[in-house]
Amino acid sequence: MGCNCKRTRRKARENKSYHILNAASDALKNVLGIGENPFVSDEILQQRLQNCLECEKLVRITKQCRLCGCFVAAKTKMRSASCPLGKWGADESH
């Protein structure tokens, strides 16, 4: 019984790639102006940021998420974005 480290690393890369593609999709939706205002209110932004800053998956030096690779200061502003851990979701209110 041993750990197949290559398989574990491959699965981690595939999972991270999935989250990066989702983040890119969210960014593209915002750039193209799909929907009305692409940004959340200051109140929602502060709640999201607080969740990210307290998260164990945050790379403190760069303020990046280890799961999706996003810079939380940018991602938390986007209305269509969501946390890969489900700590906060897309803002559907207008």
Side-chain angles (χ1 to χ4, degrees):
M1 285 180 44
C3 173
N4 187 341
C5 293
K6 286 182 181 180
R7 178 179 285 176
T8 301
R9 285 193 302 264
R10 185 187 56 184
K11 286 285 189 188
R13 280 193 310 269
E14 289 171 358
N15 191 28
K16 191 169 188 175
S17 296
Y18 171 79
H19 290 300
I20 290 170
L21 287 173
N22 276 344
S25 172
D26 290 339
L28 184 59
K29 287 177 188 175
N30 285 317
V31 168
L32 295 175
I34 296 173
E36 293 181 17
N37 181 359
F39 303 108
V40 297
S41 67
D42 288 338
E43 182 180 325
I44 293 173
L45 172 62
Q46 291 307 314
Q47 291 170 351
R48 288 177 169 189
L49 274 174
Q50 189 63 36
N51 282 331
C52 289
L53 294 175
E54 293 173 355
C55 184
E56 68 280 355
K57 298 296 183 186
L58 180 72
V59 178
R60 304 249 178 254
I61 295 171
T62 60
K63 301 291 191 271
Q64 277 182 280
C65 175
R66 282 191 183 102
L67 292 179
C68 67
C70 76
F71 290 95
V72 298
K75 184 173 183 176
T76 55
K77 293 178 183 180
M78 295 186 293
R79 183 178 299 280
S80 62
S82 61
C83 169
L85 290 173
K87 293 186 177 188
W88 50 269
D91 179 25
E92 301 299 327
S93 66
H94 295 332

